Amino acid sequence: MEVTGQGGAPLDVARIKKDFPILDRRVHGKRLVYLDSAASSQKPLSVLEAMTRYYETTHANVHRGVYQIAQEATELYEQARAKMAAFIGASGPDEVVFTKNATEAVNLVAYSWGRANLGPDDALVTTEIEHHANFVPWLQLRQERGTDVRVLRLQPDGFLDLSHAEELLQGAKLLAVTAASNVLGTLPPVRRLADIAHAAGALVLVDGAQYVPHLPTDVGELGADFLAFTGHKMLGPTGIGGLWARRELLESMPPFLTGGEMIRDVRLDGFLANDVPWKFEAGTPPIAEAVGLAAAVDYLSALGMPAVRAHEEALTSYAMSALHERYGEHLVIHGPLPAHRRAGIVSFAYKDVHAHDMSQVLDQAGICVRAGHHCAKPLMRCLGVGATARASFSVYNDEADVDALVDAIGQADTLFG
Amino acid sequence: MPGLEDLYREIILDHYRNPRNRGELESPPAVRAEGFNPLCGDEIVVYLAVDGEQITDVKIAGQGCSISQSSASMMSAAVKGKTVAQARSTIKAFRAMMSLHGRALDGAGDGPAGDGLIGAGDGQGVGGDQGTDDERSGAEVAAAEGVVLGDLEALQGVVKFPVRIKCATLSWHTLAQALDEAATRA
Ligand SMILES: Cc1ncc(COP(=O)(O)O)c(C=O)c1O
């Protein structure tokens, strides 16, 4: 599971690439150039091995058996929670609830906290740039309870319009905002918004799905009361994500899913819920996935998140310049211009080639980019486009990957020029 | 592995660059049906003017990729001026062309079976009538139904790119919806 640390030195991407077995693959006879980490990242060998080793040597259900391997499995599972908690600056492991992904984490808040605290006379504020995961649960709440859902709008420059933030947050009980847009890469000023929200008496839910994997994360510095994250975008396996919340807040919330694991006692006439965080983990949890996630946290920590951010920011800046230099006004990059104000995500439109067609052309060159609405339809409506092509970066991408992308885009001309 | 030229035939690109019957009709009297591809955000609006059994006019609005746009354009050309029954027959033939079984009979099945299965599922949804003629190729169904696929045959290559089948079939779903709507009004 150990990764020999580079302890914050600049990333040695050539070496990192060797840790990701899938990058040896060829597609259509070409080297695989994976530029879709915002959809899901690839996994280093250490994550795959940790999970295999767990199944080969330690698997048993957690929190149940008294026998040796059951204890070891429980320890590994709880260690993963502790690692994840430390990775995001939580005060302790019991502030992290494992879920199946970020979507379930947001739904946990919407169903548990939301239904206990939000009624027809209440309001919450979210934004136009949210992923559906942090938007539809609020629409659903509005539909059920008549809660007012207010929306911070996007400006043409790719930033949120904050001029009405105070006004919108007046009397609201929750602000639900992403820390990084999965389409534009926009990094909203979460701390500033959180301060405004807190002054208005609202709690703050931060969608960290695109942030936690790429920038040093400290829930205290962000000013978050809830943070949702997802394992498969941070070099970990699918099937695990989580919700961080302050302990008192979690304790004040009613259970979400119910059944085994989450109870302390059950009688014919009622039940007593378990302590947090287990109160929110009904049923057998994703144990092997937690072990894999812990290995991913180890991997990222060994690289050092400041170094990860520096690398991805530099690469984003390189990509934006290279695209502009090669294609000038024929290529439009959506979202904020300076790379230091965006995550490693570049959504673009080339001439009037549709994103699907662009993605198909790039696929032929072995390049994986996402084409579509990226589960952010309100944002796409605001941009006035149905789909964008999106390249996104992770620790295993380098300038050669960007060069391959830049070269291949022009090949669309042979068909659509 | 099929090359891009299998997908982007010249005639497809021509319909993409110069879409036929693009626009809107006043609705009512025209029937208006909307189709969305929830996976990618493509949107197609089909306007249908029906006089008795006759489709007197068709217009297409919306936005999407070259495959969805050209398929809609070709579709509009194929059904304009035809009868409702002929339009339904064309849908049937097109559906067969976009399905795994049609593809196998055409001798064009050179991808892994898994790909085809996805495609088959998609293709069979077209027109909403899960017929019993899945074993026949598009050409066979067209012959049996007495319709000509013509330019539409260029879209056959799409079957080799299973994720794009939905792009090709979107407008046909929408046309079927519009025909159903027209039938309820008659
Ligand atoms: C900003 C953002 N939030 C939430 C999610 C949902 O993540 P998951 O599908 O793992 O729940 C995503 C994934 O695309 C995302 O980009």
Side-chain angles (χ1 to χ4, degrees), chain A residues 73-279:
Chain A
T74 303
E75 248 164 62
L76 282 178
Y77 181 67
E78 293 303 331
Q79 258 173 30
R81 193 192 307 281
K83 279 189 177 165
M84 195 62 225
F87 191 65
I88 56 174
S91 318
D94 51 1
E95 295 186 338
V96 171
V97 176
F98 281 135
T99 60
K100 91 175 170 246
N101 49 35
T103 304
E104 188 185 310
V106 175
N107 275 277
L108 194 168
V109 177
Y111 278 87
S112 170
W113 183 86
R115 276 152 184 76
N117 289 282
L118 298 171
D121 300 327
D122 296 308
L124 66 89
V125 176
T126 183
T127 86
E128 198 166 19
I129 66 172
E130 299 308 312
H131 187 279
H132 294 165
N134 195 25
F135 202 80
V136 180
W138 311 119
L139 295 183
Q140 171 73 11
L141 196 76
R142 175 171 72 188
Q143 203 162 316
E144 261 182 59
R145 315 208 130 201
T147 304
D148 185 15
V149 176
R150 305 172 184 166
V151 180
L152 283 167
R153 308 301 294 262
L154 180 68
Q155 297 175 160
D157 63 3
F159 294 109
L160 286 174
D161 176 2
L162 300 182
S163 57
H164 303 289
E166 265 108 0
E167 196 185 314
L168 281 186
L169 279 159
Q170 208 54 52
K173 284 195 165 169
L174 180 75
L175 167 68
V177 61
T178 187
S181 156
N182 63 311
V183 179
L184 302 177
T186 308
L187 300 169
V190 172
R191 181 54 194 249
R192 217 170 100 208
L193 281 169
D195 289 344
I196 298 171
H198 288 146
L203 293 181
V204 177
L205 180 150
V206 177
D207 176 357
Q210 298 289 355
Y211 190 91
V212 174
H214 303 289
L215 290 98
T217 304
D218 183 299
V219 286
E221 277 174 28
L222 281 172
D225 298 290
F226 299 105
L227 176 83
F229 60 89
T230 197
H232 68 97
K233 293 188 204 283
M234 50 184 291
L235 315 186
T238 56
I240 190 161
L243 175 72
W244 166 86
R246 278 179 292 105
R247 195 193 159 101
E248 324 78 81
L249 189 52
L250 285 177
E251 278 172 347
S252 75
M253 288 159 51
F256 168 39
L257 301 173
T258 55
E261 282 277 309
M262 53 72 61
I263 38 89
R264 179 189 305 272
D265 192 17
V266 185
R267 294 161 188 266
L268 289 182
D269 59 353
F271 73 91
L272 200 61
N274 203 340
D275 290 336
V276 298
W278 304 287
K279 169 169 128 184

Side-chain angles (χ1 to χ4, degrees), chain B residues 27-152:
Chain B
S27 158
V31 174
R32 179 182 187 280
E34 259 179 321
F36 292 96
N37 183 340
L39 290 178
C40 60
D42 281 6
E43 297 175 9
I44 293 278
V45 188
V46 173
Y47 295 89
L48 214 54
V50 180
D51 183 6
E53 263 301 295
Q54 206 71 25
I55 298 175
T56 54
D57 205 358
V58 185
K59 292 281 187 218
I60 306 287
Q63 48 85 24
C65 66
S66 60
I67 301 301
S68 75
Q69 294 297 294
S70 62
S71 181
S73 170
M74 291 184 200
M75 177 188 82
S76 70
V79 302
K80 187 169 165 176
K82 299 287 176 2
T83 66
V84 168
Q86 283 169 322
R88 288 201 187 272
S89 295
T90 309
I91 292 175
K92 230 183 211 178
F94 187 77
R95 193 194 77 187
M97 191 175 84
M98 287 291 136
S99 78
L100 172 66
H101 302 294
R103 169 188 167 201
L105 286 172
D106 290 339
D110 56 358
D115 289 2
L117 284 176
I118 299 169
D122 292 345
Q124 281 168 6
V126 180
D129 51 339
Q130 309 268 335
T132 53
D133 49 336
D134 294 337
E135 299 300 323
R136 295 179 298 165
S137 71
E140 283 174 315
V141 174
E145 297 282 334
V147 292
V148 180
L149 284 172
D151 286 1
L152 287 167

Side-chain angles (χ1 to χ4, degrees), chain A residues 28 352-358 360-361 363-364 370-374 377 381 385-387 414-417, chain B residues 1-4 7-8 13 16-17 36-43 63-67 161 163-164 167:
Chain A
H28 309 320
D352 51 8
V353 179
H354 190 275
H356 281 180
D357 296 315
M358 177 53 72
Q360 192 88 56
V361 167
D363 174 58
Q364 216 64 20
R370 178 80 183 273
H373 57 59
H374 316 293
K377 288 202 87 169
R381 282 212 180 83
V385 298
T414 57
L415 291 164
F416 301 102
Chain B
M1 180 62 213
L4 285 184
L7 185 62
Y8 298 119
L13 294 174
Y16 179 47
R17 291 191 197 103
F36 292 96
N37 183 340
L39 290 178
C40 60
D42 281 6
E43 297 175 9
Q63 48 85 24
C65 66
S66 60
I67 301 301
F161 296 81
V163 294
R164 303 299 293 277
C167 307

